[in-house]
Amino acid sequence: MGLKIAQKIKQGNGFTDFPTHSDTIPTLPAANKSAFPTNRHIRQPERAANDDLANDLVTHDGMPVHFYDGGSNGWRFGDREWIAGKLRRIQSKAERLRLAAEYAERFKAVYDTEPLEQRKEGKARFSANSWLLKATK
């Protein structure tokens, strides 16, 4: 390294404290570059026949579409973290998506059947959360 710096000073190329790009990074010969194929086919996961229903009831991050989000109290009072924690117990991704879709169905069904507006979220939340607690034990 000292010899290279001395040669650069003699040639008048300037003096730097840092080695140049060519000094530190070895280059691959042209023959070795073809060893890394660029046209590889990446397999996509196969979709189940009933996956369309689950896609309508589950978001891209695996959460159910319908759940209590905290309302006017803010997200801290919602069920997002609790539901995510229960679903994390399940190892199979397909099973997690199925449980999330069923949670959304149960929440929406109870929410729609409750006649009193002020009780809709509470009853739907209790029903769906009770079911998820039993399903993930």
Side-chain angles (χ1 to χ4, degrees), residues 40-52:
R40 295 173 63 188
H41 177 70
I42 299 172
R43 289 180 36 195
Q44 298 294 328
E46 295 180 13
R47 301 188 86 122
N50 61 352
D51 222 16
D52 293 333

Side-chain angles (χ1 to χ4, degrees), residues 69-131:
D69 62 353
S72 61
N73 297 324
W75 62 271
R76 288 188 184 108
F77 295 96
D79 291 338
R80 175 179 291 275
E81 293 299 320
W82 186 84
I83 294 169
K86 294 298 176 193
L87 291 176
R88 267 187 239 121
R89 292 179 172 186
I90 309 302
Q91 291 184 354
S92 168
K93 184 177 181 180
E95 182 67 13
R96 278 195 308 266
L97 292 175
R98 186 190 69 76
L99 288 173
E102 192 166 341
Y103 180 95
E105 284 178 356
R106 288 174 181 266
F107 187 93
K108 184 71 172 151
V110 174
Y111 187 89
D112 290 341
T113 58
E114 177 59 41
L116 297 174
E117 187 67 33
Q118 66 269 21
R119 291 186 182 176
K120 283 183 179 255
E121 286 181 340
K123 284 206 173 194
R125 183 181 185 192
F126 178 79
S127 173
N129 287 352
S130 299
W131 170 81

